[in-house]
């Protein structure tokens, strides 16, 4: 097992800074996911680790060895590409054996490794086929097999599931989790899909504009997002944001006033919060519930859209000031479009964001 | 392919036009083939016959009876095959360089290569002759082959084809510890077989049919290529007699080309239809 250390990594294309002074320690055996929107630099970062892109500045260490200027093949790292990148003119066996032959692994050893990987990935009946004769899922398994036989120090996955249909994506995700449990090798996975990140990662690096917005365990990132960007990026449907004014509260916790005049007493400690009066309140759909419009301390609005997903219902409520909030109602909710309802907040689950987007949370709750 | 009912008339019209063009294209070839089996004396009277007797193999026997014809065929084969293999190697290496590597002046160099497409052969034939005369290389295989190796079309074709091969396949090979040369020969080159075949056939046909440069460079009959040799046997420039022999020469000279095309036509179709690898 080995760790990867990224020290002060810069990447510039001409005068454009894509990644600036990036620092990260990836622990041995960890499943680390780079998560972020398109263009945030996550794939560039992975390609720099692989050696497919030069770094403009900084150092990359794998297992304590400086690999910054080594060729991709000399880094002892395997990569699974988004479009599989199999050799179309070679059989599955030759695709997996090619890399081993290049470094002079004895034929018997190559055969042992290929057969073992093929058994693990259920590829034995396909070994003599060429990529064109296989489905997308099978090709992806071959691509993973090609990486596995190299017994690398670390695996890199560049959005490997994005070309698969929804059902196959779910299955392959589970196979990858099992693979990690079995091999216990360091794995780095790039995706813009938060479900993949949340389900696979030991830790998630949420990236935005070439820098780390937050690094943490999946549930930590979900429940205690560091910034408004992270709060909005993680969770489906996304967190609701409402502009609020801070008002004085005598109990040491922050109270805020919504545009319609409703006052909300939060569980966010006042200490440490900047003195600015304009804040943003963030609350996830599951921290909201539907009540009667006549109740006290509720936001009042009309149901504009009701999405029934079977096990849960999402109601889009247009508040009196025109803002829209999404509420997760129970599966049996009777709410209908046009209903006038009250929206209750779980005060212990609201987040506040200052004008620079920094998050302030209710007092710590235990997260998985 | 399913045709829409409303388009049936239009489709039939297009089909009829295509058939008419095909007949117009193939009719002279069939005529040449038919006349090659007619006695010269008969053709001196009339040439508007194709399938009716008399027939003769005399014209072909006359070709085979010319003592140097096999030597000329061997010369043509040596020149065409060498030129084809060398062009494929050079155009592939140059195309790979232009498509996949970065170096200073790449765009300027590529422009210069493409500019070669605009230079007519006749414009450089005299300087070429002078250069090879200075080098005392006329009447050698090298003289027949070397001037044809710089093929701008080949470099352009291979550059475009290599650009269409997904880059991540090459990157996967880099991660598989393959050297640049190994990536080229073991991964990229096998993927470019359709383009190689197209360029190979194109080059072979050009080399086989080449007349002007061998006419300038080869003055020794032993170094004649087949086209040059057959032309040298034609003493009757008005072609008022010996027409059957002339037609037989045309058929004989075309046979290798025809066979090459038969073997490789699927690659031509694949390349022309724009198929690539994924």
């Amino acid at each position: 097992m080995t760790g990867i250390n990224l020290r002060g990594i810069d990447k510039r294309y001409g005068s454009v800074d894509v990644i600036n002074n990036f620092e990260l320690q990836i622990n041995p055996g960890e499943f680390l996911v780079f998560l972020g929107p398109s263009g945030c630099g996550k794939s560039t970062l992975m390609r720099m680790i692989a050696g497919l892109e030069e770094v403009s500045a900084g150092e990359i260490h794998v297992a304590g060895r400086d690999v910054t200027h080594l060729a991709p093949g000399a880094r002892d790292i395997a990569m699974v590409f988004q479009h599989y990148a199999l050799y179309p003119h070679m059989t599955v066996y030759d695709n997996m054996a090619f890399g081993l032959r290049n470094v002079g692994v004895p034929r018997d050893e190559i055969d042992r490794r290929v057969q073992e990987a093929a058994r693990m990935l259920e590829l034995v009946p396909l070994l003599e086929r060429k990529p064109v004769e296989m489905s997308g899922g099978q090709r992806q398994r071959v691509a993973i097999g090609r990486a596995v036989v190299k017994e690398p120090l670390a695996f890199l996955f560049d959005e490997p599931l994005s070309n698969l249909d929804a059902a196959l994506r779910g299955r392959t995700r589970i196979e990858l989790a099992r693979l990690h449990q079995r091999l216990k090798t360091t794995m780095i996975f790039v995706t813009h899909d938060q479900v993949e990140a949340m389900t696979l990662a030991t830790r998630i690096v949420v990236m935005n504009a070439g820098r780390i917005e937050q690094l943490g365990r999946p549930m930590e990132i979900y429940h205690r997002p560091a910034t408004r960007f992270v709060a909005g990026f993680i969770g489906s449907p996304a967190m609701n944001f409402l502009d609020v004014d801070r008002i004085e509260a005598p109990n040491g916790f922050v109270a805020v006033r919504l545009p319609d005049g409703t006052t909300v007493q939060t569980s966010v400690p006042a200490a440490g919060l900047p003195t600015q009066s304009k804040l943003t309140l963030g609350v996830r759909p599951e921290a909201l519930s539907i009540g009667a419009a006549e109740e006290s301390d509720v936001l009042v609005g009309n149901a504009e859209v009701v999405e029934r997903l079977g096990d849960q219902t999402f109601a889009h409520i247009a508040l009196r000031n025109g803002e829209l909030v999404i509420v997760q109602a129970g599966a049996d909710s009777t709410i209908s479009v046009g209903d006038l309802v009250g929206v209750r907040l779980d005060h212990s689950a609201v987040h506040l964001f200052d004008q620079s987007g920094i998050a302030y949370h209710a007092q710590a709750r235990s997260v998985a | 392919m399913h045709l829409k009912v409303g388009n049936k008339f239009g489709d039939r019209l297009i089909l009829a036009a295509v058939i008419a063009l095909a007949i117009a294209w193939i009719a002279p070839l069939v005529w040449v083939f038919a006349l090659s089996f007619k006695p010269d004396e008969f053709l001196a009277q009339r040439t508007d016959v194709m399938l009716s007797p008399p027939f003769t193999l005399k014209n072909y026997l006359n070709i085979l009876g010319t003592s140097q014809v096999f030597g000329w065929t061997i010369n043509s084969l040596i020149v065409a095959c060498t030129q084809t293999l060398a062009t494929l190697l050079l155009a592939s290496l140059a195309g790979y360089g232009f498509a996949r590597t970065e170096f200073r002046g790449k765009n300027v160099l590529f422009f210069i290569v493409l500019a070669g497409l605009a230079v007519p052969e006749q414009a450089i034939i005299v300087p070429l002759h002078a250069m090879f005369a200075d080098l005392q290389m006329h009447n050698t295989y090298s003289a027949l082959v070397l001037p044809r190796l710089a093929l701008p079309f080949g470099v352009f074709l291979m550059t475009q084809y290599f650009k269409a091969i997904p880059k991540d396949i090459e990157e996967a090979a880099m991660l598989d510890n393959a050297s640049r040369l190994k990536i080229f020969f073991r991964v990229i080159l096998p993927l470019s077989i359709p383009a190689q075949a197209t360029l190979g056939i194109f080059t072979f046909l050009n080399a086989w049919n080449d007349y002007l440069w061998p006419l300038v460079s080869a003055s020794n009959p032993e170094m004649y290529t087949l086209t040059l040799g057959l032309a040298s046997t034609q003493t009757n420039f008005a072609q008022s007699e010996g027409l059957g022999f002339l037609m037989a020469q045309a058929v004989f000279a075309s046979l290798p080309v025809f066979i090459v095309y038969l073997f490789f036509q699927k690659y031509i179709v694949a390349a022309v239809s724009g198929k690539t690898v994924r």
Side-chain angles (χ1 to χ4, degrees):
Chain A
M1 291 199 296
T2 179
I4 295 175
N5 198 354
L6 308 178
R7 297 178 187 165
I9 301 293
D10 285 356
K11 182 63 186 176
R12 285 184 293 275
Y13 293 108
S15 60
V16 180
D17 266 347
V18 179
I19 288 168
N20 194 9
N21 198 25
F22 195 96
E23 298 271 350
L24 182 64
Q25 170 66 48
I26 301 164
N27 300 322
E30 182 169 30
F31 199 127
L32 188 95
V33 174
F34 287 125
L35 175 68
S38 295
C40 71
K42 56 189 189 299
S43 284
T44 305
L45 198 61
M46 174 171 277
R47 289 172 60 79
M48 286 193 289
I49 297 172
L52 299 173
E53 295 271 357
E54 283 283 322
V55 298
S56 302
E59 290 179 3
I60 299 170
H61 291 250
V62 177
R65 183 173 64 129
D66 185 353
V67 299
T68 316
H69 301 292
L70 289 186
R75 298 184 179 209
D76 218 349
I77 278 175
M79 183 162 167
V80 177
F81 292 80
Q82 182 177 1
H83 298 291
Y84 323 128
L86 300 177
Y87 311 121
H89 56 300
M90 296 185 195
T91 62
V92 169
Y93 187 101
D94 288 336
N95 261 282
M96 294 208 274
F98 183 68
L100 301 178
R101 288 179 186 140
N102 290 338
V103 291
V105 175
R107 187 176 294 190
D108 291 351
E109 176 64 10
I110 292 175
D111 194 57
R112 185 191 69 74
R113 289 198 206 177
V114 171
Q115 296 292 348
E116 190 179 320
R119 268 194 300 278
M120 184 167 68
L121 295 162
E122 297 173 20
L123 290 170
V124 174
L126 308 176
L127 281 175
E128 293 310 312
R129 286 202 201 167
K130 288 189 175 173
V132 73
E133 299 162 333
M134 294 188 294
S135 68
Q138 290 170 331
R139 287 185 210 182
Q140 192 56 278
R141 292 215 302 275
V142 176
I144 294 169
R146 183 170 64 180
V148 168
V149 295
K150 291 164 76 175
E151 299 180 357
L153 293 172
F155 289 91
L156 308 179
F157 295 93
D158 188 7
E159 306 206 30
L161 311 183
S162 60
N163 276 8
L164 306 178
D165 63 46
L168 197 53
R169 202 179 309 152
R171 282 206 302 275
T172 312
R173 211 168 60 214
I174 292 165
E175 283 174 17
L176 280 176
R178 283 193 189 132
L179 187 72
H180 181 243
Q181 284 165 14
R182 183 186 294 203
L183 300 176
K184 299 190 183 343
T185 309
T186 309
M187 291 186 176
I188 304 174
F189 190 99
V190 161
T191 183
H192 61 265
D193 184 322
Q194 54 170 302
V195 177
E196 289 171 15
M198 294 291 287
T199 52
L200 285 169
T202 316
R203 287 192 301 166
I204 297 174
V205 180
V206 183
M207 291 183 64
N208 183 30
R211 58 186 180 81
I212 296 177
E213 285 278 339
Q214 188 170 3
L215 167 64
R217 286 173 290 127
M219 294 311 284
E220 181 186 341
I221 282 176
Y222 186 80
H223 287 300
R224 302 183 73 77
T227 63
R228 181 174 168 162
F229 173 84
V230 175
F233 195 76
I234 299 281
S236 179
M239 183 182 280
N240 298 294
F241 295 107
L242 299 167
D243 291 330
V244 294
D245 288 314
R246 179 181 180 176
I247 55 176
E248 289 303 321
N251 58 3
F253 294 97
V254 180
V256 294
R257 184 184 295 115
L258 275 67
D260 69 352
T262 311
T263 301
V264 175
Q265 173 63 56
T266 74
S267 302
V268 179
L273 207 69
T275 52
Q276 57 197 219
S277 64
K278 293 286 182 192
L279 297 171
T280 300
L281 180 144
V283 58
R284 293 202 182 277
E286 66 267 28
L288 297 173
S289 57
I290 301 294
E294 300 77 27
E295 288 180 30
S296 60
D297 288 342
V298 293
L299 310 173
V300 179
N302 290 90
E304 207 169 63
V305 176
V306 176
E307 298 176 296
R308 298 192 186 280
L309 305 183
D311 60 336
Q312 54 194 345
T313 300
F314 290 108
H316 297 238
I317 310 296
L319 302 178
R320 282 176 174 162
N321 67 342
E323 287 188 283
L324 201 70
V325 292
I326 301 175
V327 182
Q328 182 180 323
D332 302 327
S333 172
T334 56
I335 188 170
S336 301
V337 172
D339 285 357
L340 183 69
V341 295
V343 177
R344 289 189 293 255
L345 282 86
D346 175 356
H347 294 186
S348 66
V350 301
H351 313 268
L352 291 174
F353 303 93
D354 65 21
Q355 286 172 6
S356 62
I358 303 296
Y360 302 88
H361 307 288
Q363 279 188 325
R365 52 194 285 182
S366 93
V367 289
Chain B
M1 188 170 70
H2 298 283
L3 300 175
K4 286 181 186 171
V5 177
N7 284 340
K8 262 189 176 172
F9 178 73
D11 290 334
R12 283 180 182 167
L13 209 64
I14 291 170
L15 191 62
V18 168
I19 289 172
L21 280 173
I23 289 172
W25 182 82
I26 204 164
L29 301 183
V30 174
W31 199 22
V32 165
F33 188 71
L35 294 191
S36 71
F37 291 100
K38 305 285 181 198
D40 280 338
E41 307 74 43
F42 178 79
L43 293 177
Q45 306 296 319
R46 53 185 301 194
T47 57
D48 58 344
V49 288
M50 284 172 67
L51 299 176
S52 58
F55 297 113
T56 179
L57 287 173
K58 191 180 163 206
N59 298 323
Y60 288 96
L61 293 173
N62 284 345
I63 292 174
L64 300 178
T66 307
S67 61
Q68 286 174 301
V69 79
F70 287 104
W72 298 336
T73 307
I74 298 292
N75 285 349
S76 276
L77 277 174
I78 290 171
V79 169
C81 291
T82 312
Q83 202 167 305
T84 303
L85 292 176
T87 301
L88 285 180
L89 185 68
L90 289 177
S92 297
L93 284 169
Y96 182 68
F98 282 124
R100 282 291 199 259
T101 60
E102 292 302 326
F103 55 89
R104 190 187 291 267
K106 184 172 102 168
N107 291 338
V108 175
L109 201 59
F110 193 58
F111 177 79
I112 291 171
V113 170
L114 291 189
L117 284 170
V119 179
E121 183 186 29
Q122 292 79 358
I124 56 168
I125 206 92
V126 174
L128 263 183
H129 174 266
M131 188 171 85
F132 278 86
D134 287 346
L135 295 170
Q136 297 185 322
M137 284 177 71
H138 281 310
N139 289 309
T140 63
Y141 288 124
S142 303
L144 291 173
V145 170
L146 284 175
R148 299 296 198 221
L149 297 188
L151 188 65
F153 170 76
V155 176
F156 177 71
L157 179 78
M158 295 316 298
T159 302
Q160 297 308 107
Y161 200 86
F162 288 139
K163 276 184 179 173
I165 294 175
K167 207 171 180 180
D168 53 9
I169 291 179
E170 203 172 332
E171 291 177 342
M174 289 162 77
L175 281 156
D176 269 346
N177 239 313
S179 64
R180 184 65 96 171
L181 215 57
K182 191 162 199 170
I183 291 172
F184 177 71
F185 282 110
R186 293 290 310 279
V187 179
I188 299 298
L189 217 52
L191 294 181
S192 66
I193 284 177
Q196 302 276 353
T198 307
L199 179 60
I201 291 165
F202 177 83
T203 310
F204 186 88
L205 294 184
N206 267 358
W208 188 268
N209 292 327
D210 196 7
Y211 180 72
L212 183 59
W213 176 243
L215 179 68
V216 171
S217 181
S219 53
N220 178 357
E222 286 190 0
M223 285 308 299
Y224 281 2
T225 55
L226 189 60
T227 45
L228 191 58
L230 291 178
S232 72
T233 63
Q234 294 172 22
T235 51
N236 171 19
F237 290 102
Q239 294 171 3
S240 56
E241 56 190 54
L243 196 56
F245 181 57
L246 188 66
M247 295 299 121
Q249 286 178 336
V251 173
F252 184 78
S254 304
L255 273 180
V257 174
F258 186 67
I259 291 166
V260 166
Y261 182 79
L262 274 186
F263 275 104
F264 291 100
Q265 61 172 320
K266 72 171 183 177
Y267 291 113
I268 293 190
V269 172
V272 171
S273 63
K275 279 187 186 170
T276 181
V277 287
R278 177 79 236 174

